Amino acid sequence: MSTLPTPVESFTSPHKVDYTFVAGTGRSTFLRGLRERRLLARRCPSCERVYLPFPEFCSRCLVELDAPFELDGTGVVKTFCVVNFPFPGQVIDPPYLVAYIQVDGADTTLMHLIRDVELADVHIGMRVEPVWCAEEDLDTSMNSIRYYRPVAGGSDA
C-alpha cells in the first residue's frame, strides 16, 4: 500500500487582479435603500416578475422594470447550507448557516446568514425576518442587514 504525499493547503500566486465592481443604475438604487433600512424591489411590466435585488431590465423580457417599491423583508428559507469548515478570509467562525431567502412579494431570492436559532432547527419553509445593523453602521451593502432570524411566533410557509 502506498502512502499519499502531504496535500498542498495553500500557495502564493504571483498574479494580482485589480477590479472595480459597478452596481449599475438598478442595483445602486437597491443598495442605497439598504442604507435607509429599506428593501426595494421592482416589477417587470411585461411578465410581472418581481426582482429583489433588482437589475435595470427584466432578464426574461429585456424591458425596463417599473419604479421601485418597498417590501418588509420577511420571507421564507428556500434552501440553506451549514458552513462547517474554515477558509481564508472568513470573518465568521464555523459552524454557521447561509440560506437563500425568498422575501414575501419577490420572485427572486437573497442569500444571507441565519442566526438566533439552533442550526439543527433551520429548515426549508422556515419564516424569517431581517435584523438590521445599528444606525451608525448602515451603508450601501448587504452588511446593513446583520442576519435573518426566525419570525417570532410565525408559522412555516
Side-chain angles (χ1 to χ4, degrees), residues 34-120:
L34 292 174
R35 187 176 51 209
E36 301 169 358
R37 287 196 175 114
R38 299 174 67 211
L39 281 172
L40 299 175
R42 288 176 74 182
R43 179 177 282 109
C44 173
S46 178
C47 70
E48 298 190 2
R49 183 173 174 83
V50 176
Y51 290 89
L52 175 76
F54 53 84
E56 195 167 348
F57 296 91
C58 178
S59 62
R60 293 181 174 176
C61 305
L62 303 177
V63 299
E64 189 170 358
L65 300 176
D66 287 338
F69 60 93
E70 191 169 356
L71 298 175
D72 72 3
T74 59
V76 175
V77 171
K78 297 305 276 186
T79 190
F80 63 91
C81 173
V82 177
V83 178
N84 286 300
F85 298 99
F87 54 83
Q90 197 171 33
V91 296
I92 301 169
D93 291 330
Y96 61 91
L97 195 136
V98 178
Y100 277 110
I101 300 160
Q102 185 168 9
V103 173
D104 298 340
D107 295 309
T108 57
T109 57
L110 294 174
M111 186 170 71
H112 219 301
L113 295 169
I114 303 288
R115 299 282 194 157
D116 292 349
V117 62
E118 293 295 322
L119 296 178

